[in-house]
Each structure stands twice: as C-alpha cells, then as structure tokens.
C-alpha cells in the first residue's frame, strides 16, 4: 500500500503512516505527530522524512489546537473552590487564608465559622486550622518550619506563595526558582509570577516577550483572570481586537472587574456590541454571586465591625 492510497480520506490517513504508507496492525503501532492530530507515523525516521511536507499544515493545526485550549472557558478561577464549603473562592485573596500546616486556602466565611463553632462547643482551640484541625503556629519560626515541610514535599501552592514572598522581599532569583518548580506542577499562579519575571527581566533571566506570553497563556488556561486580562491587552495593542475581546470576556465571566471596565470603555468607543457587553455583565454578576454565601457575608460584617471599633 502506497502513501497515495492513504490520502483517500482523513480516516484512512490516520490508519496509515503518513510517510511510508504502512497500515497499523497488531505488530505495528502508529504514533501521532508531536504537535498536531493530523497524521501518524510508524517510526521516528518516517516522521523526520515527512517533516518538510507536513511542516506548514502542522504549524497551522497546532495553532488551531492551541487556540481551542486557550479560549476554552475555564471551569473555575485559578484559586478553585474552598475545600470546606465548596463554593468558588473570591478573587480578592484578602478574603481567604492560607494555612502552613496543610497548605489549604480557606475562605473567610469558613474561617469565621470555625472560630465561632470552637467558641460555642469548646471542643478545640479557636486558633486551629479550619481544614485539618491542627493548632495554628504560635510563632513565625514555627510557621516557617511548617512551610519548609510543605516545600520539601513539593506542594505547588506553598512553592507559589513562597515565591511571591521572596519577590516582595526583593529576592527575584529565589522567587523565579520557586515559581519554576510550582509551574512544572501545573500551578497557574506560578505561571503568572513567571510572566512578570520575563516581562521585567528579573530573577537572573533576560526580558523575553515570547516566554512572558507563554506563561500568561498557561496561567490563563489554568483559570487565572489577571493573566487573561493581560493577554487581552497584548492582543489589543498588537491590533488583534477580536482576540483581545475574547480574553476580556472570559476574564469577565470569572468575575474580574478590570475586564468589565475595558469592555465598557470599548463599548463607548463603538467597538464592543451592546449584546456582547450585556452578556459579559450577566456572566460577571453570576460569577460574583457564585462566590457569596451567608457565612462569608457574616464574616465580612464581623470584620467591618471589628475595624470600626478600633
């Protein structure tokens, strides 16, 4: 069977090696092209030999597949759901707490409910972790020891947060190293941090727009609305208004206020349609509402009361 015979249809093409035309059977297993889903090969040699013929179609299809992944609506934002109440975490990270004992990000509502429950039942210290029930560290040294234990087991959340702490202290190289480890484990926030490293040329790396955009895309795919917003700005700046608006709309549907502001600005300029803006506003409000709960509202009310009493 020749390669020409295999080009009769897409199905037949996938059943035969795109280079030599040999069909797949029990003894010969074909593997897909590394970058696209258009063809398969029986060996590395055949893939190498076919590369000049396939290169153009491969690049086009790889870009299409990347866009399918990039513009897919994330199931949640990069912070996910609170592991206790299972309600989406608010984008404002000041409304949540990260515990060094278990590296769980807990919403303020569950944190507050844990405190009230402990006081009422007197069954455990009110300063225990709301998730694992371990006593909270009494000193900074104890907290740092807990953190180091989580780092030693390659906990991506702790690695990412430790990277941000290093960055805030001016240790850009240390931040880059922690973010790199966390990013390899799939942490969207770490990818976002790395995008800043390459944008600013800090942490022992040169400024690199290509790598900056790569990490922004990885963060956006992982549900990071701030990264998504920045991608929208980049596309808009480079004349890709449609792609820019797609990014801003997705970020808006995750509850990010900055994207709504940009969409409203472009609506006033006549670029964004009334229907698109209305749909984005509805989705944005739905995302904001999904992160609300009676517990979180009670916690916020208590916080405001304590603040005003000072």
């Amino acid at each position: 069977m020749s390669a020409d015979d295999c080009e009769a249809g897409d199905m037949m093409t996938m059943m035969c090696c795109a280079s030599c035309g040999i069909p797949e059977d029990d003894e010969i297993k074909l593997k897909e092209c590394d970058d696209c889903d258009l063809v398969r090969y029986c060996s590395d040699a055949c893939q190498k030999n076919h590369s000049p013929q396939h290169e153009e179609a491969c690049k086009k299809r790889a870009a299409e597949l990347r866009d399918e992944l990039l513009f897919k609506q994330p199931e949640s934002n990069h912070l996910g759901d609170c592991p206790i109440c299972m309600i989406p975490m608010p984008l404002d990270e000041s409304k949540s707490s990260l515990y060094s004992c278990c590296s769980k990000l807990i919403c303020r509502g569950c944190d507050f409910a844990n405190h009230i429950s402990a006081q009422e039942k007197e069954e455990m210290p009110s300063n225990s972790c709301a998730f694992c029930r371990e006593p909270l560290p009494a000193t900074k040294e104890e907290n740092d020891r807990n953190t180091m234990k989580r780092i030693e087991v390659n906990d991506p959340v702790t690695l990412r947060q430790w990277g941000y702490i290093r960055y805030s202290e001016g240790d850009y190289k240390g931040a880059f190293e922690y973010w790199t480890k966390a990013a390899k484990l799939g942490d969207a926030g770490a990818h976002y941090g790395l995008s800043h490293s390459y944008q600013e040329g800090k942490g022992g790396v040169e400024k690199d727009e290509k790598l900056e955009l790569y990490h922004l895309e990885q963060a956006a795919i992982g549900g990071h609305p701030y990264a998504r917003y920045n991608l929208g700005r980049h596309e808009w700046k480079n004349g890709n208004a449609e792609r820019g608006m797609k990014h801003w709309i997705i970020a808006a549907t995750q509850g990010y206020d900055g994207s709504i502001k940009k969409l409203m600005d472009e609506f006033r300029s006549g670029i964004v349609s009334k229907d698109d803006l209305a749909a984005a506003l509805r989705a944005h409000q739905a995302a904001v509402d999904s992160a609300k709960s009676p517990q979180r509202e009670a916690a916020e009310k208590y916080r405001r009361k304590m603040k005003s009493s000072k």
Side-chain angles (χ1 to χ4, degrees), residues 96-145:
S96 58
S97 301
L98 180 66
Y99 288 94
S100 63
C101 46
C102 56
S103 291
K104 294 297 182 182
L105 192 64
I106 309 299
C107 76
R108 183 182 288 167
C110 288
D111 206 12
F112 178 68
N114 176 58
H115 179 76
I116 296 301
S117 176
Q119 285 187 333
E120 291 177 347
K121 298 180 180 179
E122 298 183 353
E123 293 178 350
M124 58 183 179
S126 60
N127 64 341
S128 63
C129 171
F131 184 80
C132 69
R133 302 308 193 199
E134 285 292 315
L136 298 182
T139 64
K140 182 180 182 301
E141 289 73 19
E142 187 179 350
N143 183 75
D144 289 347
R145 283 197 298 272

Side-chain angles (χ1 to χ4, degrees), residues 10 13 24 28 91 94 151 212 218 223-224 234 236 295:
D10 292 341
T13 299
E24 184 174 53
I28 300 174
L91 294 180
S94 69
I151 287 175
E212 175 198 348
Q218 290 300 108
H224 205 298
H234 172 79
W236 195 272
Q295 283 186 176

Side-chain angles (χ1 to χ4, degrees), residues 20-163:
C20 68
I22 190 170
E24 184 174 53
D25 58 26
D26 292 340
E27 295 182 0
I28 300 174
K29 301 299 181 183
L30 304 180
K31 66 172 185 176
E32 285 191 354
C33 169
D34 295 334
D35 298 315
C36 75
D37 58 359
L38 296 177
V39 295
R40 298 199 295 167
Y41 300 101
C42 65
S43 66
D44 291 338
C46 272
Q47 183 170 2
K48 183 177 181 180
N49 291 336
H50 191 248
S51 179
Q53 300 167 251
H54 178 55
E55 184 176 9
E56 185 176 347
C58 182
K59 286 183 178 180
K60 181 181 178 181
R61 180 56 180 157
E64 292 173 350
L65 291 172
R66 179 66 174 177
D67 273 2
E68 287 178 13
L69 181 62
L70 180 59
F71 289 107
K72 182 180 179 181
Q73 180 70 42
E75 293 183 3
S76 64
N77 68 54
H78 64 296
L79 300 175
D81 297 340
C82 172
I84 298 177
C85 64
M86 302 308 293
I87 296 175
M89 295 294 292
L91 294 180
D92 183 353
E93 293 191 46
S94 69
K95 295 182 178 180
S96 58
S97 301
L98 180 66
Y99 288 94
S100 63
C101 46
C102 56
S103 291
K104 294 297 182 182
L105 192 64
I106 309 299
C107 76
R108 183 182 288 167
C110 288
D111 206 12
F112 178 68
N114 176 58
H115 179 76
I116 296 301
S117 176
Q119 285 187 333
E120 291 177 347
K121 298 180 180 179
E122 298 183 353
E123 293 178 350
M124 58 183 179
S126 60
N127 64 341
S128 63
C129 171
F131 184 80
C132 69
R133 302 308 193 199
E134 285 292 315
L136 298 182
T139 64
K140 182 180 182 301
E141 289 73 19
E142 187 179 350
N143 183 75
D144 289 347
R145 283 197 298 272
N146 286 346
T147 299
M148 287 300 110
K149 289 178 182 178
R150 301 305 303 175
I151 287 175
E152 288 170 5
V153 297
N154 286 327
D155 182 276
V157 175
T158 304
L159 288 167
R160 177 237 300 161
Q161 290 301 110
W162 205 242

Side-chain angles (χ1 to χ4, degrees), residues 261-280:
K261 183 179 183 302
K262 287 298 295 183
L263 291 170
M264 292 183 73
D265 288 343
E266 301 311 328
F267 168 72
R268 296 186 188 99
S269 300
I271 298 174
V272 174
S273 72
K274 182 179 179 180
D275 288 344
D276 285 343
L277 177 61

Side-chain angles (χ1 to χ4, degrees), residues 185-219:
L185 296 169
D187 188 88
H191 279 293
Y192 185 61
L194 288 172
S195 75
H196 285 289
S197 293
Y198 285 110
Q199 179 192 37
E200 299 166 352
K202 292 180 177 179
V205 297
E206 299 292 330
K207 289 185 178 181
D208 191 321
E209 185 179 63
K210 185 176 180 180
L211 283 173
E212 175 198 348
L213 292 176
Y214 167 77
H215 287 292
L216 281 176
E217 288 184 354
Q218 290 300 108

